[in-house]
């Protein structure tokens, strides 16, 4: 840039103490001027284009994604979750499960929130979600409030990620940093929900395989299963375990049978551990005592590869809290839509 200025100054403002440039010298100066201008043009274009494409090609989630565009977002989500959990403590577990079921089906993209329509089949009626997934109205409430504050800015996927964290914290669990910047899917897959979500009837090898398919380790499986330290399950999901399995504490089975008869009562609820509204490590203590509610729960402590880690968490609540936070951050980064992919839904139940 300095050379370009110098050429211009010399040509149009020659010094009175020097001879005026000849035709040949003038031509040479013009050629240098053109070359300098062209060089400067390429420098400017390069400096502009490289950061632009670098940004879009390497779009990353960030905790500060909405710091300028929607600074009130964390407070809005936290207040709405506080109200929801105050009305029903179980809602924290329901939102956490909703997030898990979202991320495990083609990434954390809010596809689970989409309603079925005459021309669209979503994931809500997949077998793992039908008459089971809940908390949609809470997400609707949060979205309405967020739209009022920051119109067409925050994705439903990010709202669900934040609400999941806040629900855990409200029941006494650890917090973690939620990276933001996800966008919402325009599609959903009922078949993928049926095939990719881990089954409560699965054995340990199948569970490990399901998690590995999402980039998660066996240790991630064990610590994320600790989300069952809050919430409840329906009778039909654990009926076979309490009536037919042998790796179960007899008194525990008897207690559960009281509200889960061999015939009927399929939707009756039972807690995963003795403190279903407190995020603690009692879930792991239950597994060690052979009081796991679901078959898939007890598979984590059944003379297999995860026994040692389950025992560690049963004795060390701080280790569980630390590892759970790290695993949640890891899970929440499964295949997000970013940049120009997907959309920012106006209504979490419908594509725009």
């Amino acid at each position: 840039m300095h050379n370009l200025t110098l050429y211009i100054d010399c040509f149009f403002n020659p010094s009175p103490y020097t001879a005026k440039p000849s035709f040949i010298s003038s031509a040479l100066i013009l050629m240098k001027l053109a070359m300098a201008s062209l060089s400067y043009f390429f420098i400017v274009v390069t400096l502009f284009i490289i950061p632009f494409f670098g940004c879009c090609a390497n779009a990353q989630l960030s905790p500060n994604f909405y710091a300028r565009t929607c600074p009130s977002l964390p407070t809005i989500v936290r207040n709405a979750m506080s109200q929801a959990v105050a009305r029903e403590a179980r809602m924290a577990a329901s939102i956490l499960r909703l997030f898990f079921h979202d991320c495990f089906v083609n990434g954390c993209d809010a596809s689970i929130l989409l309603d079925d329509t005459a021309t669209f089949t979503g994931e809500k009626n997949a077998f793992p979600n039908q008459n089971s997934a809940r908390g949609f109205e809470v997400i609707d409430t949060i979205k309405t409030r967020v739209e009022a504050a920051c119109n067409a800015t925050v994705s439903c996927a990010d709202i669900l990620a934040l609400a999941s964290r806040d629900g855990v914290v409200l029941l006494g669990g650890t917090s973690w940093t939620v990276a933001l910047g996800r966008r919402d899917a325009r599609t959903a897959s009922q078949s993928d929900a049926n095939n990719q979500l881990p089954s409560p009837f699965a054995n340990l090898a199948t569970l490990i395989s399901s998690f590995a398919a999402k980039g998660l380790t066996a240790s991630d499986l064990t610590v994320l299963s600790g989300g069952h330290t809050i919430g409840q399950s329906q009778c039909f999901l654990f009926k076979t375990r309490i009536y037919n399995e042998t790796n179960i504490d007899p008194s525990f089975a008897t207690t559960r049978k009281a509200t889960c008869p061999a015939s009927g009562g399929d939707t009756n609820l039972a807690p995963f551990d003795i403190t279903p509204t407190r995020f603690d490590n009692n879930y792991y203590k239950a597994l060690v005592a052979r009081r796991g509610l679901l078959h898939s729960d007890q598979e984590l402590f059944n003379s297999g590869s995860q026994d040692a880690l389950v025992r560690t968490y049963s004795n060390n609540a701080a280790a569980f809290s630390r590892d759970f936070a790290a695993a949640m951050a890891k899970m929440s980064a499964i295949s997000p839509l970013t940049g120009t992919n997907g959309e920012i839904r106006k209504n979490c139940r419908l594509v725009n």
Side-chain angles (χ1 to χ4, degrees):
M1 185 63 186
H2 173 72
N3 290 336
L4 176 61
T5 304
L6 181 61
Y7 290 139
I8 294 171
D9 185 59
C10 288
F11 187 76
F12 292 103
N13 301 289
S15 168
Y17 303 105
T18 60
K20 292 185 182 291
S22 66
F23 173 80
I24 295 176
S25 62
S26 298
L28 289 173
I29 291 174
L30 280 172
M31 287 174 64
K32 290 181 179 180
L33 177 60
M35 291 175 66
S37 299
L38 188 62
S39 175
Y40 178 66
F41 171 79
F42 279 116
I43 290 172
V44 171
V45 169
T46 301
L47 290 174
F48 174 76
I49 289 179
I50 289 177
F52 177 80
F53 282 104
C55 165
C56 297
N58 299 294
Q60 297 292 323
L61 302 182
S62 166
N64 301 315
F65 189 83
Y66 300 109
R68 288 184 297 175
T69 56
C70 194
S72 59
L73 174 64
T75 300
I76 294 171
V77 176
R78 190 180 310 114
N79 289 345
M81 283 300 296
S82 295
Q83 293 166 356
V85 172
R87 288 192 300 268
E88 182 191 14
R90 182 190 171 204
M91 188 53 68
S94 297
I95 296 295
L96 179 61
R97 182 172 184 262
L98 208 57
F99 186 49
F100 177 85
H101 280 215
D102 182 41
C103 291
F104 254 66
V105 181
N106 301 316
C108 309
D109 59 5
S111 58
I112 195 172
L113 304 179
L114 291 170
D115 283 344
D116 288 358
T117 69
T119 58
F120 180 88
T121 301
E123 298 164 13
K124 289 184 177 180
N125 286 308
F127 295 125
N129 297 327
Q130 191 174 42
N131 301 317
S132 173
R134 60 196 299 272
F136 300 107
E137 295 80 6
V138 173
I139 301 301
D140 291 339
T141 296
I142 299 173
K143 178 63 170 175
T144 297
R145 295 179 184 179
V146 169
E147 285 295 303
C150 321
N151 183 52
T153 301
V154 180
S155 68
C156 300
D158 278 342
I159 287 172
L160 183 54
L162 286 168
S164 301
R165 188 271 310 275
D166 291 348
V168 168
V169 172
L170 286 164
L171 293 190
T174 188
S175 184
W176 61 90
T177 300
V178 178
L180 302 167
R182 299 167 193 79
R183 288 168 66 85
D184 299 323
R186 295 188 180 98
T187 61
S189 176
Q190 187 176 104
S191 61
D192 285 347
N194 283 325
N195 295 321
Q196 295 180 14
L197 287 169
S199 167
F201 309 107
N203 61 28
L204 181 59
T206 301
L207 292 168
I208 290 175
S209 178
S210 295
F211 275 67
K214 303 302 175 184
L216 300 171
T217 66
S219 296
D220 293 329
L221 157 67
T222 299
V223 71
L224 289 172
S225 296
H228 283 176
T229 190
I230 53 176
Q232 303 180 74
S233 179
Q234 296 184 57
C235 165
F236 79 96
L237 295 174
F238 60 84
K239 185 175 292 190
T240 299
R241 170 156 170 73
I242 63 175
Y243 284 97
N244 299 332
E245 297 185 5
T246 57
N247 61 339
I248 187 169
D249 175 67
S251 64
F252 173 71
T254 299
T255 300
R256 293 281 73 86
K257 289 175 183 177
T259 55
C260 183
S263 178
D266 285 355
T267 60
N268 292 349
L269 298 174
F272 286 103
D273 68 22
I274 59 174
T275 52
T277 61
R278 183 74 183 172
F279 201 94
D280 53 30
N281 66 334
N282 278 332
Y283 168 78
Y284 297 102
K285 294 179 180 179
L287 298 186
V288 172
R290 296 186 303 152
R291 290 172 168 251
L293 186 62
L294 303 178
H295 176 84
S296 58
D297 290 326
Q298 198 60 55
E299 279 290 290
L300 301 178
F301 191 84
N302 192 32
S303 301
S305 64
Q306 299 307 296
D307 283 16
L309 187 55
V310 168
R311 198 176 289 280
T312 294
Y313 290 153
S314 73
N315 293 320
N316 191 335
F320 165 53
S321 292
R322 178 196 65 225
D323 292 353
F324 184 82
M328 282 299 298
K330 184 177 179 181
M331 185 191 78
S332 68
I334 295 175
S335 304
L337 297 173
T338 58
T340 58
N341 295 316
E343 65 182 14
I344 303 297
R345 280 185 222 144
K346 299 175 184 177
N347 179 337
C348 290
R349 294 173 179 266
L350 303 168
V351 296
N352 292 342

